[in-house]
Amino acid sequence: MLERIARIILVPLLSIAASLAVGMLVLKVTGYPPLETLLKIVHESFKNAYGFGQVLRTTTVFIFTGLAVAVAFHAGLFNIGAEGQLYVGAIAIGILGHYLKMVPQGTLDAFPWICFILLFMLVGILAGGAWAAIPGTLKAVTGAHEVITTIMMNFI
């Protein structure tokens, strides 16, 4: 029990400490003052609602991409192609948004805003899933290693 609690608490704390140490080392090597830079980042990120909104906007994408990788890893697969899947989903959402501009405004006003959020999420998920289906099919049909195929898909 104690080991499990230590793993749950210590592993994330040590990961954060290690990433901060490496980041500060990189800052020091490149000639920037590490502590001042870190404090400036924290201050600018949380000094007002806009800065905090930008933090949330940026991190949400990374969190969901990380969750996608975690789901594959939990299933015993490696998904190195999450970045490419993210881009394909984002491109599909952008295309949908472009074509929705052509729909008459009165037609769009008939739907509540939640319908559009769900529609955009569904399109992004389906597009990213379709992109991920290519290495998945290659793995199932030919036995190609998913790490190699998903890395190659990132470059496409």
Side-chain angles (χ1 to χ4, degrees):
M1 177 74 173
L2 188 61
E3 180 182 319
R4 183 168 187 250
I5 292 172
R7 190 176 338 131
I8 290 171
I9 294 172
L10 286 179
V11 169
L13 287 178
L14 289 175
S15 299
I16 291 169
S19 65
L20 282 172
V22 170
M24 292 181 112
L25 180 66
V26 169
L27 286 170
K28 184 72 172 169
V29 168
T30 56
Y32 293 97
L35 192 57
E36 288 178 37
T37 305
L38 179 65
L39 291 174
K40 182 79 170 174
I41 289 171
V42 171
H43 180 262
E44 292 297 320
S45 298
F46 299 107
K47 75 176 182 181
N48 58 28
Y50 177 78
F52 186 65
Q54 292 300 308
V55 169
L56 291 178
R57 181 188 62 80
T58 304
T59 56
T60 301
V61 175
F62 293 126
I63 289 169
F64 280 111
T65 305
L67 286 172
V69 172
V71 168
F73 187 70
H74 191 67
L77 299 170
F78 293 102
N79 183 6
I80 308 298
E83 183 182 8
Q85 295 156 23
L86 168 71
Y87 289 145
V88 169
I91 289 168
I93 289 171
I95 292 169
L96 175 64
H98 173 73
Y99 283 108
L100 273 180
K101 286 191 329 187
M102 298 176 187
V103 176
Q105 187 63 35
T107 307
L108 295 178
D109 290 340
F111 296 98
W113 61 269
I114 192 74
C115 291
F116 293 105
I117 290 177
L118 294 174
L119 174 67
F120 278 74
M121 285 176 59
L122 182 65
V123 165
I125 289 167
L126 290 175
W131 192 251
I134 297 169
T137 303
L138 288 170
K139 169 87 172 169
V141 174
T142 67
H145 200 276
E146 67 270 13
V147 171
I148 303 301
T149 55
T150 54
I151 288 173
M152 290 173 30
M153 294 294 287
N154 278 340
F155 291 104
I156 295 174

